[in-house]
Amino acid sequence: MKSKTSLKMLGAAIALAVGSVQAAPIIVAGNFVQLKVNDFGTIGQSGTKPALVYDPSGTGTFDPNTDYVAPGDPFEAFGFRSTQTGLLGNDNSAGNSFSGAVSDLSGGTFDNHLRWVGGNASVSITHDFFYDDDDERVNIRTVLTALSDLTGVQFARAVDPDPD
């Protein structure tokens, strides 16, 4: 049942993304962490603030000048490779292989929870970004579902931070 729901969500996400302008990213914030996820399934967007900001005082006072991912050249990205597809990937500014959409599930299981669902004809990808208000880190859970026979599958996520 869960896989049917995921496929329906994937279809809806692709239908929304194809031929349309990217939707606005979603921002969530706890006491220590402020996070923005975009419709590419990555943190931040095109070097604009905020992307990922940490407040060591835990008061939810986020200084955009201490952003870990924006501005400038820093990026956050993920990559997928299989024998059948070759190297594909998304980053937070351009060159994206997968269509998708982000939604806000905050207030359910976690205080702050963003879910990106996307993919292509070969693979469905779901990223859950989640943390509670008092957490000092963001958890990312990724689920890959093959939609065709794939071999040699590899997946990676990377960040080039700007930790001023």
Side-chain angles (χ1 to χ4, degrees):
M1 174 110 176
K2 187 174 184 181
S3 63
K4 288 182 183 177
T5 301
S6 296
L7 290 176
K8 287 179 185 176
M9 290 174 64
L10 170 64
I14 291 172
L16 288 172
V18 173
S20 65
V21 175
Q22 182 187 18
I26 299 174
I27 300 170
V28 293
N31 299 325
F32 292 92
V33 178
Q34 181 183 49
L35 173 72
K36 174 169 60 177
V37 174
N38 62 54
D39 274 349
F40 301 142
T42 59
I43 297 171
Q45 186 166 356
S46 301
T48 60
K49 298 176 186 178
L52 177 61
V53 183
Y54 176 72
D55 172 17
S57 71
T59 61
T61 306
F62 299 104
D63 180 355
N65 295 317
T66 63
D67 199 302
Y68 283 87
V69 180
D73 294 331
F75 70 90
E76 201 274 337
F78 67 90
F80 176 88
R81 180 191 308 252
S82 75
T83 304
Q84 292 73 21
T85 65
L87 179 61
L88 303 170
N90 282 15
D91 66 46
N92 62 2
S93 60
N96 296 295
S97 302
F98 300 103
S99 298
V102 64
S103 59
D104 191 346
L105 304 176
S106 298
T109 305
F110 301 98
D111 295 331
N112 304 285
H113 184 180
L114 301 177
R115 175 175 288 161
W116 180 82
V117 177
N120 62 19
S122 298
V123 64
S124 167
I125 303 172
T126 301
H127 300 304
D128 283 295
F129 303 82
F130 57 94
Y131 58 100
D132 287 321
D133 286 339
D134 289 332
D135 290 346
E136 296 187 52
R137 68 176 182 206
V138 175
N139 300 291
I140 303 173
R141 178 177 176 255
T142 298
V143 175
L144 306 172
T145 304
L147 302 177
S148 61
D149 290 341
L150 299 173
T151 58
V153 172
Q154 298 175 335
F155 181 85
R157 186 161 211 114
V159 64
D160 180 14
D162 187 11
D164 292 336

